[in-house]
Amino acid sequence: LTGNIFDANLFFQNKKITSLKGIPKVVYGYVNIRKNDIENLKYFPEKVTGFVNCSYNKITSLKGMTNKIIGFLSDFSNQFKKLSKI
């Protein structure tokens, strides 16, 4: 999956992906990357217009997360060390 704009929902649940490299920069829909082996949010889209579910990964920081999520973030299982975007 490549491209700058994606006008649909992205559903990558339980696909054993380790990186968001190649994900579109803008997603007009929701992003579900639940239950993978993702350790960081590098390459996360710059804009998402829907729900984001990144639960059940190995993410420890929100660094890389956009502040342009028009919806809400769901995360109930990652072990965040700090809840900041720095």
Side-chain angles (χ1 to χ4, degrees):
L1 178 64
T2 58
N4 290 329
I5 299 175
F6 194 72
D7 194 11
N9 299 319
L10 289 178
F11 188 78
F12 292 119
Q13 181 175 322
N14 204 21
K15 300 292 185 191
K16 298 182 182 176
I17 59 174
T18 59
S19 171
L20 297 175
K21 189 171 185 175
I23 199 166
K25 292 181 188 261
V26 176
V27 178
Y28 291 108
Y30 69 77
V31 175
N32 184 337
I33 53 173
R34 184 176 189 258
K35 291 188 176 181
N36 284 289
D37 294 320
I38 299 168
E39 294 183 2
N40 62 62
L41 295 171
K42 185 175 181 181
Y43 305 113
F44 192 85
E46 295 170 5
K47 180 178 180 181
V48 177
T49 62
F51 168 86
V52 174
N53 186 341
C54 61
S55 59
Y56 299 99
N57 279 286
K58 300 174 182 176
I59 301 165
T60 58
S61 170
L62 292 177
K63 184 176 181 180
M65 175 66 73
T66 182
N67 63 354
K68 293 189 178 181
I69 297 175
I70 303 166
F72 64 94
L73 170 67
S74 171
D75 176 79
F76 301 106
S77 65
N78 291 303
Q79 306 263 329
F80 289 121
K81 294 180 181 173
K82 58 185 175 182
L83 289 175
S84 66
K85 285 185 45 176
I86 53 174

